Amino acid sequence: MKINKIFVLILVLFCTAIFAAACGEKSADNPEGRQLRSISTEDLRQNIGSDDWVVVDTRVNDAFNGWALDGVSRGGHIKGAVDFAAVWLDVDVEQKEDKLGQILAAKGISPERHIVLYDANAEDAAKVADYLKEKGFTDLYQYDVKEWADNPDLPMESYPNHKLLVPASWINELIANNNNGKPFKVFEVSWGEESEDYIKGHIPGAVHINTDEMEEPPIWNRVSDERLQQFAVNNGINVDTTVVLYGADSMAAYRVQAVLKYMGVKDVRVLNGGLPAWINGGYDVETKVNEKMPGDTFGAQVPVNAGYVIDLPGAKEILADKEGSKLVDIRSWDEFIGKTPGYSDITAKGRPAGVVWGHDIGDYRNIDATMRNAGEILAMWKEWDITPDQKLAFFCGTGWRAAEVLIYADVMGLQDIALYDGGWYEWSDDPANPVETGEPVR
Amino acid sequence: MKPVLIANVILNLVQAAALAPALFLEHYSTKKMGVARYLIYKQRVFSETVFTPDIMMIIKVAVAAGLIVLILMLIYFLPRHKNGGSLLTNVFVSVLVNLLAAGFVFSGTGSQLHAYHYFLTGGLVILAAQYIKLILKFYSRA
């Protein structure tokens, strides 16, 4: 009898456990439990811009910038929206939670406000909502941005030159369609004859560009215009070639993009977010080494866009025009104030006299290494009286970080922009050039 | 003789470690852009300060002269130590080390190394230590 009672008890406990598990699973599958409140287009239109409402674009950065992805009829973001991409929740970075928390705070996404999360694929908003709920957010709405985009009377914003930065899907289509018969090249850009990044895996068909092909010691400026012409021919690049550049970290790609634009290549793009964006998009990489296929001619006299990259005299002209121009320092604060030279091969510390601080490159990138929201970039610049109506030239140590910012400025549609190629390395090499250190008086 | 023994041990350790920095830098010169650029920068600095053409000429003359002296010593000691002996061995090793140093300094291939000046410094340290060991060997026999 005693054994029977124990058996019955075990059976009851077992059934209870199975019942509880089934209920939990049903709850998870139950769309009712997961579903956000929806908001109508009219309500959204009325509340956008109110202090107690935040509209959040949860799509990939490319969609925010201007690409019409996931069946949306107009590219870009709802005017007034901030960005918090669902894919940011999947990045593998140190101190991720702290960084995500800082991002939420910086964009005003707080539990005290009404939060509208919008997407176009019925997934991103829900993913971000789940994350925010864990953080204690309760007042959440979802919205399908296709409704907004379909109404041309409702304002959407996209960056004038957003096509300089491309999503992985665009490259995939380019390769699949062979660019509809028009010439194109895909390059992985990094330093070194044998690049570990390239060897580990690259976009199928991509050829490696060693940055030493287009810049040289002692100060690592771009090589002469004649050698740049040869560099283009060696890599089969013509002014009419659609050139796609990327890297594991795309800074080198931006450097080459800036120089190719200076040379006159009409269509140069960089993969937004670098190789991780390709891999996270679910696309395959290959390890087969693809050899360069030289061309016959570049097709123009280098440089076609001489003002896109300037040298020391140009930098001095900018400094002389205090109101209309700014020479913007894209280095760390410690480099700017002269606490550190920032490089093992530069000993001088400080900055050219009269430059303004434009923040280090990390402040221009989202957590997934895509381009930061233009509104936030402009707000960052405004603190240092850097405005888009001025002539802006960007510099760093040897022109890599500054090139990335130059391209972002180009994406944003700024017209009068340039890269000061020599940077701090060139400026500090001549003791006659005036130098400042310490925190500037503002 | 104990101080001589200790000195020899120290000199052997110095010789063993002398090329380590050069090997490390040379290895990473093709893997890390920062190392490559640093070495190019240092090559320029060394060529203009420590290893100027005049100093390089002095180094070449000293290495060549040292090699000649050691070969003469070898010729002198060889018939007197037909069965070997630690002094003869020491002279022989010194000739070899000096020969390697001369080969590095006089040939053009050494300058192709990214960390050339570090190899040069390490090589001169090894050579100097070898000379000191030889002198100590003479001293300990006296």
Side-chain angles (χ1 to χ4, degrees):
Chain A
M1 284 301 287
K2 196 174 180 181
I3 292 173
N4 285 342
K5 283 182 184 174
I6 291 169
F7 179 72
V8 168
L9 182 62
I10 291 169
L11 194 62
V12 167
L13 285 171
F14 183 66
C15 289
T16 307
I18 290 187
F19 182 70
C23 281
E25 205 173 305
K26 189 179 177 186
S27 172
D29 287 343
N30 181 3
E32 291 288 332
R34 197 173 181 236
Q35 215 169 32
L36 294 171
R37 287 174 295 172
S38 293
I39 186 169
S40 69
T41 300
E42 184 52 30
D43 285 344
L44 178 59
R45 191 189 64 79
Q46 283 181 1
N47 288 304
I48 197 165
S50 302
D51 287 342
D52 55 343
W53 284 79
V54 181
V55 179
V56 183
D57 191 326
T58 64
R59 302 172 300 162
V60 291
N61 180 253
D62 306 291
F64 187 87
N65 291 352
W67 289 90
L69 304 176
D70 292 324
V72 175
S73 57
R74 279 191 292 161
H77 53 274
I78 294 175
K79 194 167 181 183
V82 298
D83 53 334
F84 190 94
V87 293
W88 294 357
L89 302 173
D90 298 328
V91 294
D92 183 18
V93 293
E94 288 180 9
Q95 301 173 323
K96 181 170 112 174
E97 282 307 313
D98 287 344
K99 286 177 181 167
L100 288 173
Q102 287 167 13
I103 291 168
L104 288 173
K107 294 176 188 286
I109 304 172
S110 65
E112 295 78 38
R113 303 171 84 180
H114 306 287
I115 311 291
V116 177
L117 305 168
Y118 74 79
D119 64 15
N121 61 4
E123 287 175 16
D124 292 337
K127 188 171 178 178
V128 174
D130 287 344
Y131 173 76
L132 292 178
K133 282 176 189 171
E134 287 173 16
K135 299 286 173 201
F137 287 72
T138 54
D139 198 353
L140 300 171
Y141 299 83
Q142 68 174 8
Y143 181 71
D144 184 344
V145 74
K146 290 197 195 76
E147 292 180 33
W148 188 281
D150 285 344
N151 184 345
D153 294 329
L154 296 173
M156 289 192 79
E157 195 170 49
S158 63
Y159 304 143
N161 295 322
H162 65 270
K163 292 189 177 179
L164 288 172
L165 303 183
V166 299
S169 58
W170 184 88
I171 299 177
N172 188 59
E173 270 180 50
L174 181 85
I175 295 170
N177 298 334
N178 202 31
N179 198 23
N180 298 315
K182 291 179 284 185
F184 77 99
K185 298 270 182 186
V186 180
F187 293 102
E188 180 276 342
V189 186
S190 57
W191 173 84
E193 278 294 330
E194 289 179 6
S195 165
E196 281 183 18
D197 287 340
Y198 183 78
I199 289 166
K200 269 189 244 174
H202 48 266
I203 292 177
V207 174
H208 170 61
I209 282 183
N210 175 7
T211 51
D212 280 354
E213 293 175 49
M214 40 73 66
E215 52 186 22
E216 61 182 355
I219 59 173
W220 303 103
N221 270 10
R222 69 198 182 285
V223 296
S224 68
D225 291 339
E226 292 71 33
R227 286 178 61 193
L228 281 177
Q229 202 128 355
Q230 191 56 50
F231 155 73
V233 169
N234 290 346
N235 285 284
I237 297 172
N238 181 279
V239 285
D240 295 315
T241 308
T242 293
V243 178
V244 180
L245 307 166
Y246 80 95
D249 178 302
S250 286
M251 201 187 300
Y254 288 115
R255 170 84 173 141
V256 173
Q257 184 181 29
V259 172
L260 287 177
K261 288 197 69 168
Y262 158 85
M263 290 167 63
V265 179
K266 295 172 195 162
D267 189 10
V268 194
R269 323 271 189 126
V270 167
L271 172 57
N272 195 16
L275 184 63
W278 178 265
I279 293 170
N280 292 338
Y283 302 111
D284 292 331
V285 296
E286 68 174 12
T287 54
K288 170 176 82 76
V289 174
N290 298 303
E291 299 298 331
K292 292 183 193 295
M293 294 179 62
D296 298 319
T297 173
F298 178 61
Q301 188 63 37
V302 172
V304 173
N305 301 312
Y308 205 66
V309 179
I310 62 174
D311 297 303
L312 188 60
K316 289 184 175 177
E317 274 179 33
I318 293 211
L319 284 171
D321 177 17
K322 290 187 192 314
E323 289 308 313
S325 305
K326 287 282 190 304
L327 191 55
V328 184
D329 192 338
I330 307 297
R331 295 183 298 158
S332 67
W333 180 248
D334 283 350
E335 288 173 273
F336 180 74
I337 63 172
K339 198 171 170 186
T340 173
Y343 298 78
S344 59
D345 55 337
I346 302 177
T347 53
K349 300 178 197 176
R351 60 185 180 272
V355 305
V356 293
W357 189 51
H359 285 247
D360 203 357
I361 192 60
D363 291 338
Y364 288 85
R365 293 176 171 184
N366 293 319
I367 196 171
D368 62 348
T370 53
M371 175 185 158
R372 193 171 174 188
N373 175 329
E376 292 169 13
I377 292 175
L378 290 171
M380 213 163 57
W381 285 352
K382 199 173 174 190
E383 292 173 22
W384 291 85
D385 297 324
I386 303 167
T387 54
D389 56 313
Q390 295 170 314
K391 180 177 172 69
L392 304 176
F394 306 98
F395 77 95
C396 53
T398 57
W400 283 40
R401 291 177 278 180
E404 183 166 340
V405 173
L406 172 71
I407 298 302
Y408 291 160
D410 204 338
V411 167
M412 287 154 58
L414 273 61
Q415 300 284 325
D416 211 350
I417 50 176
L419 168 70
Y420 166 34
D421 198 9
W424 176 240
Y425 208 159
E426 180 181 54
W427 188 277
S428 61
D429 207 36
D430 183 357
N433 291 327
V435 165
E436 289 173 344
T437 55
E439 295 192 19
V441 175
R442 300 174 66 197
Chain B
M1 291 298 106
K2 199 173 177 185
V4 172
L5 191 65
I6 292 170
N8 269 308
V9 169
I10 292 171
L11 288 167
N12 285 337
L13 288 172
V14 166
Q15 286 183 311
L19 287 179
L23 289 167
F24 176 87
L25 288 169
E26 188 67 28
H27 173 72
Y28 281 103
S29 68
T30 56
K31 293 182 172 26
K32 300 287 180 190
M33 186 178 80
V35 173
R37 289 192 173 187
Y38 170 76
L39 289 174
I40 289 171
Y41 161 72
K42 289 305 276 188
Q43 205 158 41
R44 184 164 61 116
V45 169
F46 282 142
S47 299
E48 292 170 3
T49 55
V50 179
F51 295 109
T52 61
D54 290 341
I55 291 177
M56 282 305 296
M57 184 53 67
I58 294 169
I59 289 172
K60 285 178 181 176
V61 167
V63 168
L67 183 61
I68 292 167
V69 167
L70 285 170
I71 289 173
L72 288 173
M73 283 176 67
L74 191 63
I75 293 169
Y76 176 80
F77 281 114
L78 200 54
R80 291 165 176 77
H81 292 85
K82 284 180 183 170
N83 296 323
S86 60
L87 177 60
L88 182 65
T89 307
N90 215 311
V91 172
F92 187 68
V93 170
S94 299
V95 168
L96 278 177
V97 172
N98 210 135
L99 203 57
L100 285 170
F104 185 80
V105 165
F106 283 95
S107 80
T109 50
S111 60
Q112 303 302 315
L113 293 167
H114 294 102
Y116 168 68
H117 291 109
Y118 290 88
F119 279 105
L120 182 61
T121 305
L124 292 174
V125 165
I126 290 172
L127 190 60
Q130 193 60 36
Y131 288 156
I132 296 171
K133 279 160 58 176
L134 188 59
I135 293 168
L136 287 174
K137 194 67 194 171
F138 272 109
Y139 167 75
S140 65
R141 287 181 75 242

